Amino acid sequence: MTSIVIPAHNEAQVIGRLLDSLLADSSEDETDIVVVCNGCTDDTARIAAARGPRVRVVEIPVPSKHAALRAGDDHARGFPRLYVDADVVIGGADVRALTEPLDDDTSGVLATAPERRVPLDSCAWRVRAYYRVWQRLPAVREGLFGRGVIAVSKAGHARIAALPPLMADDLAASLAFAPEERLVVEGARVVVRPPRTWPDLIKRRIRAAVSTAQVEQHHQSPQEASARTSKADLIALVRAEPRLVTGVVVFVAAAVVARRGAAKAIRAQDFGTWLRDESSRQH
């Protein structure tokens, strides 16, 4: 049985759409869904429980994703195991596609993630321009991070269970596996809703800059621990697709603003302040 662990902190706006998608195309004996409500002060737990006995709700008082993931592990029943952010949408067929490579002991694959679908129609033009560049970057295409979903085998779980509590848990998990041990599965899709406004995008990028710095500090080889974008990556993009030049300018501007915004937190070693983007949670 595949276990799906969903950490959720005040996700009443979005938890229902994820659970409905997971339940619509899977049988009762196929998936074990655990929603871990951590420090919630809204109706997340009630909404999740209303989906019926196929969804088990665990409540913990502390608002911590790391603690929620560990609590989910304590209650999950099977492998392969998926960790799914509450604000994305993925279906049962996609879950099956993610777990199939993990059931093959000869493949060497320990972790998988789906391809992203990032709907940009309701976003400001600078946000659209940013994501058209971001989605084309080699590290973004190949890494398991930034998708809101990661699936692991039992051996893969042992690898990530030893990770310290980090803001960029998905980046740390992706970097825990060698390229041949991780796989972005073609045919599996997840809808990742982007921020709608430039200020909300900057919040996300500041958080990413701070959390990436934390991951690098915990890694023995910082050069290999980063998913940072190089100047060469951007130049290669523009050469391949000259129409992206405006997007690259926007991308660089966002990076500069975010780096400045993150500098104070990094100096203070403040890796606990979570700058949450609410615009992506709007229906």
Side-chain angles (χ1 to χ4, degrees):
M1 177 179 285
T2 299
S3 283
I4 302 173
V5 174
I6 305 171
H9 172 67
N10 288 344
E11 299 288 10
Q13 285 183 287
V14 295
I15 190 68
R17 71 187 182 195
L18 169 60
L19 293 174
D20 289 344
S21 183
L22 287 170
L23 293 169
D25 187 27
S26 63
S27 62
E28 186 172 349
D29 60 353
E30 187 178 8
T31 55
D32 161 45
I33 302 174
V34 182
V35 176
V36 184
C37 300
N38 56 105
C40 289
T41 57
D42 65 359
D43 287 338
T44 301
R46 181 188 62 78
I47 292 169
R51 264 56 189 182
R54 291 182 58 193
V55 177
R56 292 186 289 135
V57 177
V58 176
E59 295 187 70
I60 62 174
V62 57
S64 162
K65 184 176 181 181
H66 183 78
L69 292 171
R70 298 290 76 82
D73 275 337
D74 290 342
H75 288 82
R77 294 168 177 162
F79 287 99
R81 187 164 299 172
L82 274 74
Y83 300 96
V84 181
D85 289 350
D87 60 339
V88 304
V89 179
I90 189 169
D94 304 296
V95 170
R96 287 190 290 274
L98 290 176
T99 60
E100 186 175 349
L102 301 173
D103 288 328
D104 182 359
D105 294 334
T106 65
S107 71
V109 175
L110 303 180
T112 62
E115 294 185 331
R116 303 177 192 85
R117 187 170 78 80
V118 184
L120 296 170
D121 292 348
S122 60
C123 299
W125 76 267
R126 285 187 294 179
V127 176
R128 295 197 302 271
Y130 178 92
Y131 274 96
R132 288 186 185 118
V133 171
W134 182 80
Q135 292 186 87
R136 287 170 166 82
L137 297 172
V140 174
R141 293 199 315 267
E142 297 163 10
L144 305 184
F145 60 89
R147 302 171 193 274
V149 179
I150 184 170
V152 293
S153 65
K154 192 169 186 178
H157 173 263
R159 183 83 58 85
I160 64 172
L163 292 173
L166 299 169
M167 284 179 71
D169 56 283
D170 57 346
L171 174 59
S174 180
L175 293 169
F177 301 101
E180 65 274 13
E181 295 176 325
R182 62 180 189 250
L183 177 67
V184 176
V185 177
E186 292 184 14
R189 299 283 190 277
V190 61
V191 177
V192 181
R193 299 191 180 275
R196 296 187 180 189
T197 68
W198 179 255
D200 280 309
L201 172 64
I202 295 302
K203 282 183 184 178
R204 280 203 189 187
R205 299 325 303 161
I206 291 173
R207 188 178 76 209
V210 173
S211 57
T212 297
Q214 185 190 28
V215 169
E216 290 173 347
Q217 288 181 14
H218 280 79
H219 205 279
Q220 291 182 343
S221 179
Q223 304 94 308
E224 299 174 5
S226 179
R228 292 185 185 273
T229 301
S230 69
K231 190 181 298 183
D233 290 331
L234 298 176
I235 292 172
L237 274 184
V238 173
R239 283 178 176 167
E241 297 184 71
R243 65 187 179 86
L244 290 176
V245 64
T246 300
V248 168
V249 171
V250 172
F251 183 92
V252 171
V256 170
V257 174
R259 192 175 298 123
R260 290 174 179 167
K264 182 178 179 181
I266 294 171
R267 285 196 302 269
Q269 297 290 285
D270 176 11
F271 300 120
T273 301
W274 187 267
L275 296 178
R276 176 156 153 158
D277 157 36
E278 297 293 347
S279 69
S280 61
R281 288 170 167 79
Q282 297 171 7
H283 295 289

